[in-house]
Amino acid sequence: MALQGQEEIEEQIEEPEDFQEQDVSISPAEELPNGPGDEDSDPVLLPWDRFSAWLHCICVVGFDLELGQAVEVIYPHHSKLTEKEKTSICYLSFPDSNSGCLGDTQFCFRFRQASGRKSSLACFLDHFDRDAPVCLKRDQGHYYGYVYFRQVRDKSLKRGYFQKSLVLISKLPYVTFFHSLLKLIAPEYFEKQEPCLEAACNDIDRWSTPYPGKILTLPIMGVVMKVRIPACYDKPGTSQLVQASQNDALVSIVLPTIHEVDLFRCFCPVFFHIQMLWELVLLGEALVVMAPSPAESSDTVLALVSCISPLRYCSDFRPYFTIHDSEFKEYTTRTQAPPSVILGVTNPFFAKTLQHWPHIIRIGDMKQAGEMAKQMKVKKLKNLKTLDSKPGVYSAYKPFLSRDEEIIKQLQKGVQQKRPSAAQNAILRRYFLELTQSFIIPLERYVASLMPLQKSISPWKSPPQLRPFCQEEFMKSLEKAGPQLTSRLKGDWIGLYRHFLRCPNFDGWFRNRRKEMTQKLEALHLEALCDEDLKLRIQRHTEVEIVDLVLKLKDKLTQAEREQLPVRAGTLAKLQSHIESVILSLPEDLQGILYKPATP
Amino acid sequence: MALRELKVCLLGDTGVGKSSIVWRFVEDSFDPNINPTIGASFMTKTVQYQNELHKFLIWDTAGQERFRALAPMYYRGSAAAIIVYDITKEESFQTLKNWVKELRQHGPPNIVVAIAGNKCDLSDAREVSEKDAKDYADSIHAIFVEASAKNAININEVFIAISQRIPVVDCGGGAAGKGFKLRRQPSETRRTCC
């Protein structure tokens, strides 16, 4: 019911201007390298740079009777992976032997990047991230592996089965996008082998870089994919791309989203506990998902991580984790409290190894999206002993907030009325979004109040500092401007905040905010400086002081450029001309020295 | 004006000038020393045809044998195929006939086929007579041109001829525009406690 109005609400947004212009003005080659998609990327891109902006490499993992799982091919051949990374990829690219995935399976994993490798290209790529929402930025310490696994009976092989995975390794968390991409590449690869990979990589190396906020046209193996990477300035819930008319999938495909998983389908087996799960994820509690296959474990883990969006989940999470993982010991040790991580596992061995974990989600075979879990109660942990244990949530956790019965009823009604899964997913996504926003708005408001007053910014003093975050002060602000303003949910919000302020998700969120606000202060300071009459000021100063001023201004300018400070348009140019006019007022010998470009 | 996306693929022996034809059409330029294509390269160009805009999504396939098996990905869903041969190489005309056969068997049923004899500026070295080629093209109801990517002869003409043969769609529905919509998820009215 709630979705009936969707058609009217849908907003016909014009295609971005450059895009449209090209269509109308018979302009050539819009998808060519150095095309209009990259007005920001002034540096010349070398071969494979574009590819690297999307993928680290493509691996083929096969099964060798003597060696076991092995990386057979890495493409492009020059890509670097350490032995440890290769081992991780090998184990993580195959389902555990007991999963018995016959046919084609898709899933994803995430593993730690071996340390100490940051190329200049990586720094350059990070800059595309500036406008990406926090949840979609490149992952700094990890790689994602997106897997397309095929297992079919083949009597001609000694093992009796053909088993192979095509794996995309990337730092980008665009799960839906990469799974769609794999659906196009992998089946062709399994039939046509290496020329197919060569062609695919060549296509990808001609793509425009993943720039947030733009509609990108990405040709791949005879099909054109159209996607839009959300930008941080999108209004929450508005970033889906929809094509007005039906298209031939052999010609072009429009992906509505690059990263959103089907929350409703993923949470179906534990449907009654969604709100409790939201709290557990929000608070960064140790959580393990035990599922029958890597597809289900990775979907569920990604759904969990994304349910607190637009907040970023800051702890480690592993959509598919195996006993061979390099962090296996670290994460399963009993000598310490379970770490703040979310693991997805399929190996029954974990039922024993992780018995001491506080929160365990067991899912059985994913049912059709319509069927819903009947189990209402959270189960006692001591009842979880073996793999045979029933699906459900096992935890001793007592939620801070009282349960929202309305969302449960609304979704149940949807099931009875056979509401399409996409609509159910949209309802659930909106529910989580509103819940998270109700929770985060008071924090945003309080943190905004830590900003010094504009009038305290003086061009001739260093920029003022942010006031420190004071927990008690924040708690006090909740009395008047708490989540009760936007959420009907009752319960112990205060307790929830207290816990949250101690967890990594708060830390990550606050760090990010503080950085943004500090940059904003720097920017305001810079603007104030530009509005000053420098010529007038230097008249009253000695030569030494003026040289000092020039050097300081130059520093400011470099900093502003490097950190891409959010200054008003034209500020930097204005500062540059200020610097030049100040230099011109100095004796000639000094002019020559100061004009030299600053050494980096 | 309605915009239609038309997938077009170029097929033919290696070195006959498929990429040069596309470069001439899209960029209006010619480079005698381009590298062999890997897999396929992709370009687009939009032209007006009567009341419609035809956006050609051009897949320029590799002619090299090792990429031969990939061809179906490119002619699948194509509205038109331009099969290119080199008028100075008899062998390339034989390859062309194999492509026609393959398209018959495995290509889309209504695909518009155009045959382009490239390098007509080199008529001194001609090995394929224009008449033979034209007769063959007529026998399979294909568009036929002799062209030169180098001298810009008959390049735009092939694409115009393709536009003419593309069946007109009934766009009376009004919603034929291929704009994108950003979906705003319906927002519930917020409940507040006060």
Side-chain angles (χ1 to χ4, degrees):
Chain A
M1 295 286 280
L3 285 193
Q4 272 182 358
Q6 190 153 305
E7 283 306 312
E8 297 112 84
I9 298 166
E10 265 177 8
E11 224 176 12
Q12 176 99 43
I13 294 200
E14 296 291 330
E15 294 179 274
E17 235 163 50
D18 53 339
F19 196 80
Q20 198 168 41
E21 240 168 61
Q22 281 162 9
D23 276 351
V24 181
S25 67
I26 312 183
S27 136
E30 60 195 66
E31 284 88 8
L32 279 181
N34 302 321
D38 310 80
E39 74 264 301
D40 276 74
S41 61
D42 29 308
V44 180
L45 290 178
L46 300 169
W48 295 111
D49 279 359
R50 285 164 188 280
F51 178 90
S52 306
W54 290 90
L55 291 176
H56 179 69
C57 64
I58 302 183
C59 297
V60 178
V61 180
F63 195 92
D64 184 290
L65 269 182
E66 270 154 37
L67 298 172
Q69 278 139 255
V71 176
E72 292 175 353
V73 184
I74 299 179
Y75 213 93
H77 298 306
H78 64 263
S79 324
K80 287 198 180 72
L81 286 173
T82 63
E83 283 309 311
K84 200 171 163 192
E85 286 167 342
K86 272 191 219 166
T87 312
S88 294
I89 293 170
C90 276
Y91 285 118
L92 292 167
S93 296
F94 268 40
D96 275 320
S97 48
N98 61 299
S99 309
C101 306
L102 214 56
D104 291 358
T105 310
Q106 286 189 258
F107 59 94
C108 109
F109 60 81
R110 187 170 173 265
F111 64 102
R112 244 180 230 175
Q113 179 183 8
S115 57
R117 220 172 351 131
K118 178 132 180 163
S119 61
S120 58
L121 178 67
C123 300
F124 160 68
L125 293 174
D126 285 344
H127 125 126
F128 288 109
D129 265 2
R130 189 188 41 172
D131 289 338
V134 278
C135 305
L136 289 179
K137 289 191 192 285
R138 309 177 78 79
D139 200 319
Q140 292 302 335
H142 295 83
Y143 283 116
Y144 284 86
Y146 300 99
V147 184
Y148 193 106
F149 171 72
R150 175 169 284 184
Q151 171 161 272
V152 283
R153 214 178 269 283
D154 184 344
K155 285 196 182 119
S156 69
L157 296 174
K158 223 174 175 185
R159 197 171 156 83
Y161 283 98
F162 171 91
Q163 291 170 312
K164 216 168 258 224
S165 282
L166 188 70
V167 191
L168 308 179
I169 306 292
S170 174
K171 303 214 120 213
L172 297 170
Y174 305 164
V175 55
T176 321
F177 169 74
F178 284 118
H179 279 323
S180 308
L181 182 61
L182 272 174
K183 269 200 193 96
L184 293 173
I185 302 177
E188 295 285 348
Y189 166 73
F190 290 131
E191 269 179 40
K192 292 159 193 169
Q193 316 298 325
E194 210 162 322
C196 187
L197 275 192
E198 215 180 318
C201 292
N202 192 60
D203 283 340
I204 296 170
D205 197 37
R206 293 163 52 92
W207 287 359
S208 100
T209 39
Y211 202 82
K214 267 195 181 154
I215 291 168
L216 304 176
T217 304
L218 311 173
I220 180 84
M221 314 196 71
V223 179
V224 177
M225 288 174 99
K226 290 175 193 168
V227 301
R228 181 180 178 277
I229 295 162
C232 55
Y233 46 78
D234 290 346
K235 261 170 83 183
T238 60
S239 55
Q240 286 214 332
L241 196 61
V242 178
Q243 188 159 42
S245 58
Q246 211 54 48
N247 242 28
D248 184 350
L250 298 174
V251 178
S252 63
I253 302 170
V254 175
L255 284 190
T257 169
I258 57 157
H259 67 290
E260 289 174 356
V261 289
D262 186 341
L263 289 180
F264 181 70
R265 187 178 54 83
C266 294
F267 284 136
C268 238
V270 288
F271 174 69
F272 289 101
H273 313 298
I274 45 173
Q275 197 183 322
M276 172 174 131
L277 294 176
W278 174 83
E279 281 189 22
L280 293 175
V281 176
L282 181 75
L283 300 178
E285 289 280 326
L287 198 57
V288 60
V289 176
M290 298 185 180
S293 78
E296 284 147 344
S297 81
S298 60
D299 276 356
T300 310
V301 169
L302 291 174
L304 285 167
V305 166
S306 70
C307 80
I308 59 166
S309 154
L311 266 182
R312 189 167 81 92
Y313 179 78
C314 296
S315 300
D316 194 4
F317 59 96
R318 305 298 177 92
Y320 176 51
F321 188 76
T322 75
I323 53 171
H324 305 286
D325 205 285
S326 47
E327 275 74 58
F328 177 74
K329 277 218 177 93
E330 180 186 334
Y331 284 166
T332 57
T333 173
R334 277 171 176 270
T335 57
Q336 289 166 358
S340 167
V341 293
I342 302 180
L343 302 182
V345 301
T346 63
N347 194 321
F349 183 69
F350 280 105
K352 210 165 172 264
T353 325
L354 299 180
Q355 220 172 10
H356 62 296
W357 274 40
H359 320 289
I360 296 169
I361 301 175
R362 281 212 55 97
I363 48 178
D365 275 320
M366 285 253 193
K367 302 279 159 49
Q368 282 268 296
E371 272 180 68
M372 227 186 281
K374 296 187 182 68
Q375 192 65 41
M376 296 271 301
K377 278 199 182 136
V378 177
K379 294 174 185 180
K380 296 219 174 73
L381 269 165
K382 62 176 199 285
N383 293 339
L384 181 81
K385 294 221 172 61
T386 58
L387 185 73
D388 312 322
S389 299
K390 294 219 172 80
V393 177
Y394 294 77
S395 170
Y397 180 81
K398 211 175 153 297
F400 286 96
L401 303 182
S402 54
R403 182 144 79 187
D404 188 340
E405 300 294 343
E406 253 178 75
I407 179 71
I408 305 273
K409 275 191 211 136
Q410 196 185 358
L411 289 174
Q412 273 176 323
K413 204 167 151 197
V415 173
Q416 286 158 9
Q417 295 172 340
K418 302 221 162 29
R419 189 186 289 146
S421 173
Q424 294 277 73
N425 177 41
I427 292 171
L428 189 54
R429 187 167 291 282
R430 195 182 62 231
Y431 165 76
F432 280 128
L433 179 66
E434 288 181 1
L435 188 57
T436 308
Q437 282 187 323
S438 292
F439 180 79
I440 205 73
I441 286 169
L443 274 161
E444 297 274 12
R445 194 177 293 143
Y446 171 70
V447 167
S449 76
L450 302 178
M451 189 82 163
L453 294 175
Q454 174 109 32
K455 65 178 178 200
S456 68
I457 297 171
S458 154
W460 306 110
K461 286 183 202 147
S462 45
Q465 299 277 307
L466 286 181
R467 290 198 300 121
F469 189 102
C470 165
Q471 184 171 335
E472 287 320 305
E473 205 179 58
F474 165 67
M475 290 299 175
K476 207 154 183 309
S477 78
L478 292 177
E479 289 165 17
K480 277 194 185 138
Q484 68 276 10
L485 295 183
T486 49
S487 174
R488 59 176 176 269
L489 285 187
K490 300 275 178 261
D492 183 11
W493 284 94
I494 302 284
L496 188 61
Y497 280 113
R498 277 196 198 286
H499 261 78
F500 179 71
L501 296 184
R502 288 201 297 266
C503 87
N505 291 335
F506 168 72
D507 196 51
W509 173 82
F510 182 60
R511 221 181 270 242
N512 190 44
R513 268 291 168 280
R514 196 171 45 198
K515 188 175 151 212
E516 283 173 6
M517 288 163 70
T518 312
Q519 288 190 337
K520 182 72 198 163
L521 277 173
E522 291 280 352
L524 289 172
H525 183 247
L526 205 62
E527 285 167 10
L529 205 56
C530 280
D531 293 340
E532 285 292 297
D533 188 343
L534 294 184
K535 271 196 182 150
L536 191 74
R537 190 173 169 91
I538 56 172
Q539 284 169 8
R540 284 177 279 142
H541 289 270
T542 62
E543 203 175 277
V544 177
E545 283 170 318
I546 296 172
V547 171
D548 194 47
L549 176 69
V550 168
L551 295 177
K552 272 198 184 132
L553 289 178
K554 278 188 159 182
D555 267 357
K556 278 263 172 200
L557 193 64
T558 336
Q559 184 204 4
E561 278 162 354
R562 191 183 55 230
E563 293 177 17
Q564 302 176 326
L565 292 184
V567 287
R568 269 199 312 260
T571 306
L572 297 187
K574 207 168 155 192
L575 186 65
Q576 182 70 48
S577 75
H578 273 330
I579 295 176
E580 277 160 24
S581 66
V582 173
I583 293 177
L584 278 177
S585 71
L586 289 164
E588 263 182 38
D589 54 339
L590 267 177
Q591 282 188 25
I593 295 168
L594 289 173
Y595 263 133
K596 266 190 227 155
T599 40
Chain B
M1 207 180 308
L3 176 77
R4 285 174 72 187
E5 290 186 334
L6 301 174
K7 180 172 171 180
V8 176
C9 65
L10 277 91
L11 302 167
D13 236 346
T14 181
V16 296
K18 295 179 293 298
S19 302
S20 296
I21 288 176
V22 178
W23 270 88
R24 174 60 76 189
F25 176 60
V26 174
E27 293 273 274
D28 197 18
S29 68
F30 179 78
D31 176 356
N33 304 312
I34 47 176
N35 287 326
T37 306
I38 295 171
S41 67
F42 175 81
M43 291 203 207
T44 66
K45 178 164 171 166
T46 307
V47 294
Q48 186 173 350
Y49 176 73
Q50 294 177 352
N51 297 332
E52 290 182 330
L53 289 174
H54 285 177
K55 179 172 182 179
F56 290 111
L57 310 178
I58 307 167
W59 289 93
D60 164 29
T61 68
Q64 288 171 324
E65 189 53 37
R66 69 192 168 112
F67 293 114
R68 174 74 209 233
L70 304 186
M73 302 190 306
Y74 305 111
Y75 61 67
R76 218 181 271 158
S78 279
I82 302 175
I83 314 178
V84 184
Y85 70 97
D86 175 349
I87 66 153
T88 70
K89 288 212 172 68
E90 168 66 29
E91 201 190 329
S92 69
F93 191 66
Q94 296 310 316
T95 310
L96 173 140
K97 289 181 178 168
N98 292 334
W99 279 117
V100 172
K101 267 184 220 146
E102 177 162 345
L103 281 181
R104 278 259 167 77
Q105 285 169 5
H106 305 290
N110 300 319
I111 191 165
V112 173
V113 175
I115 289 177
N118 193 29
K119 308 194 189 177
C120 72
D121 50 293
L122 301 177
S123 57
D124 289 352
R126 177 188 288 278
E127 286 185 9
V128 183
S129 92
E130 185 167 2
K131 186 176 180 302
D132 289 353
K134 172 93 171 80
D135 288 348
Y136 174 72
D138 286 346
S139 74
I140 59 161
H141 309 289
I143 296 164
F144 174 75
V145 289
E146 279 202 348
S148 165
K150 189 179 172 195
N151 295 350
I153 299 168
N154 275 342
I155 302 295
N156 288 335
E157 285 73 3
V158 189
F159 286 89
I160 294 168
I162 288 171
S163 278
Q164 286 166 347
R165 289 220 191 170
I166 296 292
V168 181
V169 276
D170 171 37
C171 50
K178 290 231 163 131
F180 290 97
K181 286 176 176 178
L182 287 178
R183 174 189 290 157
R184 170 178 298 164
Q185 292 178 350
S187 55
E188 251 180 316
T189 43
R190 289 202 181 260
R191 269 158 274 219
T192 54
C193 68
C194 18

